[in-house]
Amino acid sequence: MDRTKLYRRFRTLLIANRGEIACRVIRTARAMGLRTVAVYSEADRDAMHVALADEAVLLGPARARDSYLSVERLIEAARKTGAEAVHPGYGFLSENAEFAQACYDAGLVFVGPTAEMMNAMGSKSGSKALMEKAGVPLVPGYHGDAQDDTTLAKAAEKAGFPVLVKASAGGGGRGMRIVRSAAELGPAIVSAKREAKAAFGDDRMLIEKYVDNPRHIEVQIIGDSHGNLLSLFERECTLQRRHQKVIEEAPSPTLNAAQRETVCAAARKAAGAVNYVGAGTIEFVSDGKDVFFIEMNTRLQVEHPVTELITGVDLVEWQLRVAFGEALPLKQDEIKLNGHAVEARVYAENPTKNFMPSVGRISTWRLPAETGGLRIDAGYRDGDSVSPYYDAMLAKMIAWAPTRDVAIDRLNRGLEDSDVRGIVTNIPFLSALITHPKVRANAIDTGFIERELAALTSGAPAPGELELCAAVAAIVNDERRAAQGEANSPWQTFGWQPVGRRQRNFALRVGHGPEQKIALNYGSGPSTLVIGERELAFTVVPKDGGFDLTLDGVKSSVAAVIDGHELYLRTRNGRFDLHWVDPFGGETDEQTGADKIAAPLPGTVVAVLAEEGAKLEKGAPILTLEVMKMEQTLRAPYAGVLKSIKCKVGDIVQEGIELAVVEASGE
Ligand code: ADP
């Protein structure tokens, strides 16, 4: 095929994907001066990638088959918008040779390899045969055409148990079984074939020696249409759950320089065997010493940012330049390895409930700034919804540093400084994982997460004195912020003193645990917190995302978010989720007597429910205040006549202010 027809300059790029990868591709395409076209399903009307692109085309219903997987609708979207090229991202149709061909047939540039290259590398058996010919090391095993029981049994016997039975067409760990003895082989083949037939429409199997304590090591490669092919070092992706990567890093901490050169050379040989064009990944399994080819992915990978951070190369930019028909801008010896990068995949899922996906609206989305070596590739924003139709990956957090240890610490700090609410995320799990001593020591294999699951999901410790005090400080700080902008707000200076000394009581609990009581004393003199017998002096200095709490003479930084009654805190002891039991209870205040209709806390009047002059029963509603995002209705303290209402809807009222007067009927 004439490559000048395949690859040529274009001005408008359609991104046939969604979520973070669509956003990621749009960012670089825009920086290169291209016009970008997003596509979306009905579930993604308000998605971030749609907002970022210059144009967006509705493909169809939420179901991927009717939208992101519809070749016909994607080609039609390109035609409608005048797009000249298509970037497939990863997943969906990114490794689908028919899609690459359909783009070509429609006169579009496909940002990736040709359909022929995909076909050559698409089956594990086919690619292994190619690699064998090219002299790339393979795991001992069988990848021939004959599929009868005797051939497969002999192959397994020859490789030596344990073996892996793998679907040749497989992906995502499906159609794969570990077999530890000859007796297990027959049934394993039957069930793997059944799964492969259903998932891929192809039940051909291959047999591989199961590598003990396996590690996953892969090499990033990229080729252009002028015959240049480069490797951009390797990534280690050994931290997996159910054969899905969770944490990836570059370079691999397992390899020394000589092994690094060996694996990169093997990868170049592998890609060279098909004169590969575009970005791709050669995957190897390793026993920590040697590496064995397992498969090639003919697309950009989720974990490409770790490679970008250690090489300084924007892989999407290079993909686009290759698609323009340009030659790669660097030579192999100009690609330098600098420092270390680690990536964590942030998912909407619940690690304590078997990683069940979590769907719903994101009510808080606070991620740290991309400074100090931190990069965040996100596909969601505050207020977005996570739908049940697609992969639940929300974002990737990637940290770079000169050394692996510092990169891990930076990543952990970034995770700890993140707060996503409304849905459950795996952020605390990721923190626990990357700070695990065995991960730090690189004493891992692909089974590590499964083995350590209980320890990795055990959750936070019980809140101590610091956390209880921080919770009260967070509530007070939030109230003060709500009252800001009002002249003479009593909360503006802490220790405001209306009449004498006042006490406010708080009750907090974790989950359904016992209530823990804490009292705030304020008024004349410094404010104090009382827990049991202890009375502690404290001060609060607000800052972005929380405050500095000085407690008993020690200052510490607290990240805090309040969502209704739920408090999220991060202190030096970790993450804590607390429930504020009764924000309006326990107020002992000489000023706000039971008979007075006054604001219990600073708030906003959201409804006036009775008219002046109305006759009221005891307990009749008079007005509703919104306090701390909660509505509270103030009621008649006794039967009588509503003499006056001293506020209107929309007023921001201070604590203790009289809002209405009821004259007792005297009966
Ligand atoms: P899929 O395409 O379904 O993801 P792969 O062949 O890429 O399947 O394998 C997925 C994962 O399974 C690898 O990352 C590795 O952890 C593990 N694996 C694959 N082959 C072997 C093997 N021969 N021995 C041990 N582990 C393996």
Side-chain angles (χ1 to χ4, degrees), residues 459-645:
E465 201 169 69
L466 172 63
E467 286 71 40
L468 294 175
C469 291
V472 170
I475 293 165
V476 170
N477 190 41
D478 206 60
E479 287 170 357
R480 184 156 44 175
R481 200 171 33 224
Q484 243 164 28
E486 290 171 63
N488 308 320
S489 160
W491 293 98
Q492 259 169 12
T493 41
F494 207 67
W496 170 70
Q497 176 201 351
V499 190
R501 195 90 172 135
R502 287 149 58 102
Q503 185 172 74
R504 228 175 121 188
N505 296 308
F506 296 85
L508 299 154
R509 63 174 152 75
V510 175
H512 297 290
E515 281 184 19
Q516 292 181 279
K517 301 270 201 276
I518 180 162
L520 166 67
N521 285 322
Y522 62 108
S524 45
S527 305
T528 60
L529 289 164
V530 182
I531 303 176
E533 304 282 280
R534 299 249 294 153
E535 181 160 8
L536 303 150
F538 80 106
T539 56
V540 175
V541 178
K543 62 179 189 185
D544 201 31
F547 47 86
D548 283 329
L549 172 66
T550 304
L551 187 67
D552 234 8
V554 179
K555 187 189 97 168
S556 90
S557 171
V558 176
V561 174
I562 298 188
D563 191 2
H565 284 200
E566 306 312 317
L567 301 177
Y568 154 79
L569 300 174
R570 186 175 60 77
T571 71
R572 62 166 176 262
N573 301 319
R575 280 167 188 277
F576 297 86
D577 289 336
L578 291 161
H579 178 77
W580 177 17
V581 178
D582 181 11
F584 304 111
E587 188 88 10
T588 52
D589 182 350
E590 314 95 72
Q591 274 204 326
T592 314
D595 290 355
K596 195 171 161 193
I597 301 149
L601 292 168
T604 309
V605 179
V606 293
V608 174
L609 306 166
E611 284 175 18
E612 282 183 3
K615 273 186 85 173
L616 301 175
E617 298 285 310
K618 181 176 179 194
I622 299 172
L623 55 92
T624 302
L625 279 181
E626 191 186 88
V627 181
M628 297 284 311
K629 296 178 207 139
M630 295 241 336
E631 291 198 351
Q632 194 193 23
T633 297
L634 303 185
R635 297 169 183 278
Y638 34 70
V641 174
L642 183 56
K643 221 175 137 217
S644 70
I645 292 199

Side-chain angles (χ1 to χ4, degrees), residues 124 128 139-140 163-164 166-167 169-176 178 200 208-217 237-238 240 242-245 283-286 292 294-295 297 446:
K124 293 188 207 289
K128 284 182 87 175
V139 196
V163 298
L164 208 52
K166 252 191 214 182
R174 278 180 299 174
M176 205 155 95
I178 299 176
F200 316 110
E208 273 175 15
K209 168 90 194 135
Y210 182 75
V211 175
D212 277 326
N213 304 321
R215 287 172 172 276
H216 177 108
I217 292 172
C237 317
T238 296
Q240 305 183 347
R242 304 211 166 136
H243 305 298
Q244 299 280 342
K245 297 158 189 165
E283 297 195 330
F284 299 91
V285 65
S286 170
F292 307 100
I294 49 175
E295 67 165 345
N297 288 324
T446 56

